[in-house]
Amino acid sequence: MIRIIQLTVVGLLFCALAGLPGWAAAQAVPEPPETVLRTPEGVTVRAVRIENLDVDGRLDEPYYSQILPITGFVQQEPNDGEPSTERTEAWVFFDDDNLYVSARNWDSQPDRMIANEMRRDSGGILQNENFGVLIDTFYDRRTGYLFQANLLGGQRDSTVTEPRQDLTWSTVWDVRTARFDEGWTIEFAIPFKSLRYDSRPEQIWGLNLRRIIRWKNEWTYMAPIPAYLQSFGIFYISLAATLVDVETPPRGIDLEVKPYAISGIRTDHGASPPYVNDVDGDVGLDVKYGLTDSLTLDATYNTDFAQVEEDTQQVNLTRFNQFFPERREFFLENQGLFRFGSATASNNTPIMFFTRRIGLNNGRPVPIAGGVRLTGRVGATAFGVLNIQSREDDPSRSEPTNFSILRMKRDILDRSSFGVMYTRRDETSTTGAATGETWGVDGLYSISPAVNLDGFYARTEKAGVSGDTASYLTRFDYVADRYGLQLEHLKVGAQFNPEVGFLRRTDFVRDFAQARFSPRPAEGTLPGIRRFVFQAGIEYIENNGGRLDFREQLGEFGIEFFNSDRLNVNYARNYEFIPRLFAIAEDVTVPAGGYTYQNVVASYFMGQQRRVSGTVFFEHGSLYGGTKQTLGMSGGRVEISPQFTLEPSVSLNWLSLPGGDFTSSVITERTTYTFTPRMFVSALTQYNTSSRTLSINARFRWEYSPGSELFVVYSDARDTEDMGGFLPVVNRAFVVKINRLFRF
């Protein structure tokens, strides 16, 4: 509690120093009838008030002939800074209820336009002809909302905290599209109720518009984005245009209530005690309330995540825990605010707050009694407070536990920031384990979008634990189109343990360096090739006693093609010290000792403009004194029709080690049929040779009213080892869940 008070005082000092973001420069604005003005200081767009817009995607109202469009879109790829090869006209309108963004997308070869994805929030939407709208409603040049849709009307929305997005944020909005002889048109209708903004009568927002002409792999922006930012460019809110003349309505109660009801029949032979065909039912509630223009309170009671798709299984040939991303909506919303430093599990950097520590234990779900989350911004300071209480649960061997997280982050200079974080895990029963706490500070100094220096310092505390409980990181990043350089130094103490986080490796010091050279062939010299990539890196990990634990020397050659295909060849030479014997497979162990091994991986990515797309790869090399070969496909997609798709993923691994020979493979396949952009059914089938299980998770999702959903879920896991029992059931469930959104 003392730590929370200390950090809260620091946060209040931040807030006291904070000022409301404003329009610092006396920037010129477009005078009617003009709607866009381009000057050396930047791009400014004028919104226009209208009445009675019929959102059907056709752009046949008089407004589109009477009001001048926004034009002058600029390429990011393939020819940075040059005018788009296809004409784009856009408009920004508003009325008392909605913000409207419309576009007429001309195309010289409309028969080649790609449209084969309709699912809500699918990444495949970006592999189609699509249009995106970025809105920075507080004009803080750091945070905003991103709305995207493709030619078929498939929707995708997210929040953005430069330079990342939170894809799982979802709100109520509408979009319609239509075709015409020379291209396609689109209309977005975004309710003001779905946005947060301040109460000043004069609204000044940030805005950027992006069109991806997928059949020719051309990316164009209203406000120019440099090529070196690649597909992340839309997340750079600081480079967006300025939107003026928007008039927002007074905020109402600003309350959303979303109750749910659920019922199911379940079987689990692995539970203690096991149960068969148990019927259950329950109800719960989520509430969202806007306390002020920028402060939002979320509350959840009797939280349930039955509709969440199962984790995609992975092949694990290491001695470390696997990392599975969060999928639950309540924990994913505002995840960007709670991110500490630039941590990713793939590079061994500790993740201070990992939401899968809440409501999951020993591979089983833990019932959540409820929780609250307060997020918002005061001037240049963003903050978030989260408290969740889980219940006691015998099947997962979990004590009732309280989780508390406090996060504050202060914007400084143009793109830099400084922040603090505190996490606490407290088993609230009398027999529970001691409280585990983590606190830390992190910062980012961004000289430009291409040059960044960031780092953190953190400590953990727990009764009875002493020794080195600290971790720190310093990282330098230079990311340009032609050159790149990354340098990093990371330390994790032997007793550092963030109990509400994720730590793949303990007790180590990591040094890492990587350099990249990415030349583009002169125009006309190598048709079809956009860019070459030459990359080399070295990673060096010692324990805190100076023992070499891991070393990797990596070289990579890649070719990026104009049609979005990519070819990569990687060579890695590794040394790894195994401190103690571990089981890599059933009846196969790897003895303690030092091992040197190397491998070559060749992969080819096929763009989604093909009916069959994805990445195919082959790996050949050595491992732990033996040999390893891998053949596989990831991100696969087979288009049967724009509504019907198959998504296979295969990893077949053949290993011959001194301790024995074995095969470790995972085969997954997701079948999806999309009835409309708001209704689909999908089935994820997975076979894992290591666990000898065959599982299926089928889901029907229907957004029957904006923000309100019906889910029907069937899951089934079977034991493939006992073939005599004809794949006996391990667990099975059939669940129906319905929720309803009420907005006030």
Side-chain angles (χ1 to χ4, degrees):
M1 181 58 66
I2 293 175
R3 184 73 63 194
I4 293 178
I5 294 173
Q6 291 172 337
L7 293 178
T8 302
V9 170
V10 173
L12 292 175
L13 290 174
F14 280 179
C15 296
L17 295 171
L20 287 174
W23 199 7
Q27 192 167 336
V29 301
E31 296 293 337
E34 299 296 332
T35 56
V36 62
L37 178 65
R38 300 178 183 274
T39 68
E41 288 75 31
V43 181
T44 306
V45 173
R46 183 173 62 87
V48 180
R49 175 177 281 278
I50 61 170
E51 302 290 341
N52 302 321
L53 182 66
D54 181 16
V55 180
D56 57 8
R58 298 186 182 280
L59 276 61
D60 51 7
E61 289 85 358
Y63 307 120
Y64 295 108
S65 58
Q66 296 170 355
I67 299 172
L68 293 178
I70 302 164
T71 58
F73 280 61
V74 177
Q75 290 185 56
Q76 181 197 37
E77 290 281 2
N79 299 307
D80 187 11
E82 294 188 10
S84 174
T85 61
E86 304 288 354
R87 183 181 174 189
T88 303
E89 299 174 332
W91 292 263
V92 179
F93 301 140
F94 66 93
D95 58 21
D96 290 339
D97 300 313
N98 301 306
L99 179 77
Y100 303 99
V101 179
S102 308
R104 181 176 288 116
N105 302 302
W106 303 80
D107 200 298
S108 57
Q109 300 185 52
D111 57 313
R112 299 185 64 181
M113 295 190 303
I114 300 171
N116 56 21
E117 181 60 82
M118 294 174 62
R119 274 178 301 169
R120 176 74 186 259
D121 293 328
S122 170
I125 289 172
L126 300 185
Q127 304 302 320
N128 286 199
E129 311 301 317
N130 70 88
F131 197 88
V133 179
L134 175 76
I135 306 171
D136 170 13
T137 55
F138 287 100
Y139 200 61
D140 59 16
R141 318 296 278 175
R142 305 296 183 97
T143 59
Y145 305 93
L146 179 59
F147 301 89
Q148 301 170 94
N150 67 356
L151 173 55
L152 296 177
Q155 296 176 255
R156 181 179 166 100
D157 50 11
S158 63
T159 56
V160 177
T161 302
E162 184 176 311
R164 298 183 179 95
Q165 68 172 333
D166 176 1
L167 273 169
T168 57
W169 176 81
S170 187
T171 193
V172 175
W173 59 289
D174 198 11
V175 66
R176 293 290 186 270
T177 62
R179 295 176 183 256
F180 67 102
D181 290 343
E182 297 177 88
W184 64 289
T185 53
I186 187 168
E187 287 179 318
F188 294 81
I190 304 168
F192 287 115
K193 279 189 175 182
S194 296
L195 305 173
R196 315 295 301 175
Y197 49 85
D198 63 48
S199 57
R200 291 178 295 173
E202 180 187 7
Q203 294 289 326
I204 300 172
W205 292 2
L207 175 75
N208 209 349
L209 307 177
R210 179 182 70 184
R211 178 186 176 189
I212 300 178
I213 309 167
R214 178 51 72 182
W215 71 266
K216 60 170 63 176
N217 201 19
E218 180 177 316
W219 298 55
T220 68
Y221 286 85
M222 179 191 68
I225 297 293
Y228 66 81
L229 296 179
Q230 300 181 9
S231 60
F232 305 106
I234 193 72
F235 308 151
Y236 281 81
I237 303 173
S238 57
L239 302 179
T242 298
L243 177 66
V244 299
D245 287 0
V246 176
E247 300 170 14
T248 54
R251 302 202 70 90
I253 300 176
D254 204 4
L255 174 66
E256 294 184 0
V257 179
K258 196 171 187 177
Y260 80 83
I262 185 172
S263 182
I265 180 170
R266 308 169 194 267
T267 294
D268 191 343
H269 293 288
S272 181
Y275 53 87
V276 177
N277 294 335
D278 272 14
V279 178
D280 59 26
D282 213 342
V283 294
L285 182 70
D286 290 330
V287 177
K288 184 185 294 288
Y289 179 54
L291 296 174
T292 69
D293 296 332
S294 59
L295 300 182
T296 302
L297 178 68
D298 293 275
T300 180
Y301 167 71
N302 204 22
T303 317
D304 178 85
F305 304 106
Q307 76 277 11
V308 177
E309 186 178 67
E310 291 181 355
D311 290 319
T312 303
Q313 297 185 34
Q314 308 168 15
V315 173
N316 186 11
L317 299 175
T318 74
R319 57 191 174 93
F320 301 109
N321 292 331
Q322 292 175 296
F323 178 85
F324 293 95
E326 180 61 86
R327 297 177 180 272
R328 300 167 296 174
E329 182 179 347
F330 181 82
F331 294 112
L332 285 166
E333 188 170 354
N334 288 308
Q335 194 177 57
L337 172 61
F338 290 97
R339 183 179 291 111
F340 183 84
S342 53
T344 60
S346 60
N347 62 8
N348 293 300
T349 306
I351 297 177
M352 303 304 171
F353 175 40
F354 182 45
T355 52
R356 286 180 67 106
R357 295 295 186 203
I358 304 174
L360 293 168
N361 193 34
N362 294 316
R364 291 180 173 271
V366 179
I368 294 176
V372 293
R373 176 178 58 216
L374 177 65
T375 56
R377 173 175 290 272
V378 179
T381 302
F383 67 90
V385 180
L386 176 68
N387 186 271
I388 298 288
Q389 178 69 43
S390 65
R391 296 191 175 103
E392 182 179 6
D393 184 63
D394 291 334
S396 62
R397 302 189 299 278
S398 300
E399 297 286 338
T401 306
N402 185 264
F403 301 86
S404 300
I405 296 90
L406 173 63
R407 174 63 161 154
M408 296 184 183
K409 189 175 182 181
R410 165 78 177 184
D411 296 337
I412 56 177
L413 304 176
D414 287 340
R415 299 181 181 88
S416 304
S417 63
F418 174 80
V420 296
M421 174 174 272
Y422 171 82
T423 71
R424 178 186 178 97
R425 183 182 186 277
D426 185 12
E427 294 188 3
T428 52
S429 68
T430 56
T431 59
T435 298
E437 299 175 287
T438 303
W439 63 270
V441 296
D442 64 335
L444 166 68
Y445 177 48
S446 180
I447 301 172
S448 74
V451 183
N452 296 281
L453 180 66
D454 69 278
F456 70 77
Y457 178 86
R459 296 189 69 92
T460 60
E461 297 179 3
K462 189 171 184 177
V465 176
S466 60
D468 188 357
T469 62
S471 176
Y472 58 80
L473 166 77
T474 56
R475 174 182 295 151
F476 171 80
D477 262 320
Y478 172 66
V479 183
D481 184 52
R482 191 174 180 87
Y483 301 101
L485 176 66
Q486 184 180 98
L487 304 172
E488 180 183 308
H489 177 74
L490 168 67
K491 177 188 181 297
V492 174
Q495 301 301 321
F496 179 78
N497 180 25
E499 295 202 7
V500 195
F502 180 85
L503 190 61
R504 183 172 183 266
R505 181 192 289 266
T506 61
D507 184 20
F508 70 95
V509 178
R510 175 181 186 261
D511 289 291
F512 176 76
Q514 181 174 275
R516 174 180 53 82
F517 175 53
S518 306
R520 294 176 182 257
E523 187 174 354
T525 57
L526 294 172
I529 296 179
R530 172 174 290 180
R531 188 168 76 150
F532 294 103
V533 177
F534 301 90
Q535 194 160 265
I538 183 168
E539 180 179 17
Y540 195 89
I541 297 177
E542 295 181 338
N543 75 349
N544 283 283
R547 180 191 69 209
L548 176 61
D549 279 348
F550 183 77
R551 180 185 62 236
E552 179 177 64
Q553 298 159 291
L554 178 67
E556 177 183 345
F557 169 70
I559 302 176
E560 298 177 5
F561 299 94
F562 276 102
N563 65 356
S564 79
D565 287 7
R566 296 191 302 271
L567 170 68
N568 281 283
V569 179
N570 297 340
Y571 170 78
R573 180 175 176 83
N574 300 332
Y575 169 84
E576 183 175 2
F577 177 75
I578 304 298
R580 62 188 65 86
L581 178 144
F582 80 97
I584 192 173
E586 186 177 358
D587 300 326
V588 180
T589 58
V590 176
Y595 296 88
T596 299
Y597 52 91
Q598 57 190 346
N599 60 72
V600 177
V601 181
S603 63
Y604 192 88
F605 169 78
M606 299 172 287
Q608 198 165 326
Q609 73 275 11
R610 306 175 186 274
R611 295 189 71 88
V612 178
S613 61
T615 301
V616 293
F617 56 91
F618 174 73
E619 177 181 352
H620 177 77
S622 53
L623 183 70
Y624 301 140
T627 61
K628 172 192 173 187
Q629 294 189 80
T630 300
L631 179 66
M633 180 178 192
S634 62
R637 188 178 190 279
V638 180
E639 178 192 344
I640 308 300
S641 75
Q643 293 175 281
F644 186 26
T645 58
L646 309 177
E647 298 177 40
S649 179
V650 180
S651 179
L652 308 175
N653 298 266
W654 298 275
L655 292 96
S656 179
L657 305 183
D661 300 345
F662 66 97
T663 300
S664 180
S665 303
V666 170
I667 302 172
T668 70
E669 200 282 313
R670 181 185 289 104
T671 301
T672 303
Y673 188 85
T674 308
F675 300 93
T676 73
R678 298 181 185 273
M679 181 194 295
F680 73 87
V681 60
S682 68
L684 175 65
T685 304
Q686 304 188 85
Y687 174 61
N688 189 327
T689 61
S690 297
S691 60
R692 293 187 173 90
T693 58
L694 174 67
S695 66
I696 182 170
N697 179 251
R699 297 187 306 144
F700 170 77
R701 178 185 182 273
W702 175 31
E703 189 175 359
Y704 61 91
S705 179
S708 303
E709 302 146 312
L710 169 68
F711 298 94
V712 181
V713 181
Y714 175 77
S715 61
D716 188 308
R718 295 177 178 268
D719 183 359
T720 62
E721 187 173 18
D722 185 5
M723 299 300 290
F726 189 67
L727 304 180
V729 172
V730 177
N731 56 69
R732 179 169 56 203
F734 178 79
V735 177
V736 178
K737 179 178 179 179
I738 187 169
N739 58 46
R740 175 69 181 182
L741 175 65
F742 299 94
R743 306 182 101 186
F744 303 95

